[in-house]
Amino acid sequence: MRGDAMILFISHDLYQKAIRQLSGQEGSEKPFRSRKLPGNLHLELLDGKTDEISWTDLQDDGSSNHTLITFLSDRYADLKTVSAYAIKTIWYNPSGKMAPEPMPVQDLDIRHFDKLLLASSSLHIPTLAQCLTWWDEWDVPENVRRHSLTVSQAAYKLAVMMRNKGIAINPVLTHRGGLLHDLDKIKTLHLVNAHGQKAAAFLEKEGFPEIAGIVREHIMSTILNPNADNRSWEVKLVYFCDKLAEGDQLVPFNQRLSALYDRYPDYKIIMQQAEGPVWRMSDQICSILSIPSHANLISMLKGLRNP
């Protein structure tokens, strides 16, 4: 939903800080509980702890009023509690840390409160729970799930690092795209030029065009398109990390390519044509992140652990 958005807080300090940054007003000694801001954005301060609040009732109220209900906290444990109620969550993360778990539960990750003004559109991505449900509905086998986890984790970590370097990228959108990039892998095994297309059509129908674009564009040959360099970084990172994940293991691109040659000999010419552009993408990522080489990039990703 891209209409009204209500951001819920349980931390008075974060609530006041958000209002100061977004409106320039301090509030009063006796804190007001609600504030409407430009862009159909509402901030609401709740009483109690996350496990004392009726999140289901709040979600029902939001649905009846056509309002996107979202919870914001700087405590990751709070986000985990609230996301279990199918409520969208925002992690206020001013230091730009990575999520402390392999699969981030937050639906948006912000370093500055001004990003809340775009919350309605930025939050328009499937939740982690929805992605995992689709895995079940599409009968995604265990080996494809493990591969998708590897791609999504590597892409998310690179996205966080690039975001912290000032690159315009949404790490959570990148992660969700990585989780879903092979959603139709099994369904399209014996179909020509259908992989990525079938799942993208489904995701567009579900109302997630950005995720659909990531899924559609992860196929090796898409880097040969004339406008490939203009693709979003979310698309580029999922594409790139898919080219590093042989099964559920991160390997240098040349090792992954060799395995793909053996697995898909009919597509060898296209893969050979794509090889140079993929190496150039690797060089670009290394340059942005000040990483000396592709080998160092792989070593970094394999050694990088969630805090």
Side-chain angles (χ1 to χ4, degrees):
M1 182 178 299
R2 296 175 186 263
D4 288 1
M6 179 174 286
I7 313 297
L8 306 176
F9 296 72
I10 59 171
S11 165
H12 171 259
D13 289 342
L14 283 183
Y15 176 74
Q16 292 285 64
K17 186 173 182 179
I19 290 174
R20 283 197 300 272
Q21 290 190 17
L22 292 171
S23 71
Q25 298 179 11
E26 288 288 339
S28 61
E29 283 295 320
K30 196 169 184 179
F32 43 84
R33 318 299 296 183
S34 181
R35 175 60 65 91
K36 186 176 186 302
L37 295 169
N40 296 321
L41 180 66
H42 304 258
L43 306 188
E44 191 86 21
L45 179 61
L46 304 177
D47 290 317
K49 299 178 181 179
T50 53
D51 56 359
E52 300 171 345
I53 295 169
S54 179
W55 297 105
T56 302
D57 289 345
L58 286 168
Q59 183 71 290
D60 290 343
D61 289 344
S63 298
S64 63
N65 294 320
H66 305 290
T67 299
L68 176 63
I69 300 295
T70 310
F71 172 72
L72 183 148
S73 180
D74 58 355
R75 286 171 37 87
Y76 195 82
D78 290 343
L79 306 180
K80 288 189 66 177
T81 299
V82 175
S83 64
Y85 293 91
I87 287 181
K88 298 268 186 172
T89 60
I90 301 173
W91 187 20
Y92 177 60
N93 178 19
S95 61
K97 295 185 295 186
M98 293 182 191
E101 296 181 342
M103 288 198 287
V105 299
Q106 74 271 20
D107 299 291
L108 181 61
D109 185 326
I110 63 170
R111 301 185 68 184
H112 307 286
F113 282 114
D114 59 0
K115 296 297 184 184
L116 292 181
L117 297 174
L118 302 173
S120 290
S121 57
S122 299
L123 284 162
H124 196 70
I125 61 175
T127 64
L128 176 60
Q130 180 64 79
C131 293
L132 301 183
T133 296
W134 283 333
W135 275 5
D136 291 337
E137 291 176 353
W138 284 66
D139 297 322
V140 178
E142 184 60 30
N143 65 316
V144 177
R145 296 185 187 209
R146 290 197 305 269
H147 168 78
S148 298
L149 285 172
T150 299
V151 171
S152 64
Q153 289 167 19
Y156 169 74
K157 290 171 181 177
L158 287 177
V160 171
M161 296 171 70
M162 293 180 76
R163 186 270 314 270
N164 292 349
K165 289 282 190 178
I167 299 297
I169 187 169
N170 182 335
V172 182
L173 174 61
T174 307
H175 178 264
R176 302 288 196 267
L179 283 180
L180 297 173
H181 80 282
D182 269 351
L183 184 64
D184 64 13
K185 182 76 171 181
I186 300 305
K187 302 285 188 184
T188 60
L189 272 181
H190 304 295
L191 301 176
V192 178
N193 296 325
H195 180 40
Q197 300 295 329
K198 191 177 183 69
F202 165 77
L203 292 164
E204 284 185 340
K205 186 177 179 180
E206 291 292 312
F208 299 109
E210 291 175 304
I211 294 286
I214 294 173
V215 171
R216 183 182 294 109
E217 293 289 321
H218 87 277
I219 306 302
M220 178 78 80
S221 61
T222 60
I223 203 170
L224 301 174
N225 295 338
N227 64 344
D229 288 343
N230 298 325
R231 297 184 295 181
S232 71
W233 271 110
E234 291 89 354
V235 170
K236 289 179 181 179
L237 288 188
V238 173
Y239 175 95
F240 179 68
C241 290
D242 180 51
K243 308 306 170 283
L244 306 180
E246 176 57 24
D248 61 357
Q249 299 297 310
L250 289 174
V251 298
F253 173 54
N254 58 314
Q255 183 175 331
R256 165 76 160 148
L257 192 60
S258 177
L260 291 174
Y261 285 160
D262 292 339
R263 197 174 304 137
Y264 305 111
D266 292 343
Y267 297 95
K268 186 170 184 178
I269 292 176
I270 290 176
M271 289 189 283
Q272 287 175 330
Q273 292 172 342
E275 182 175 1
V278 174
W279 282 118
R280 287 194 291 274
M281 183 181 291
S282 176
D283 290 342
Q284 185 181 14
I285 293 168
C286 288
S287 177
I288 291 170
L289 298 179
S290 301
I291 297 172
S293 68
H294 182 78
N296 290 108
L297 173 63
I298 300 302
S299 296
M300 180 274 295
L301 283 173
K302 291 174 72 172
L304 193 59
R305 295 289 182 264
N306 296 80

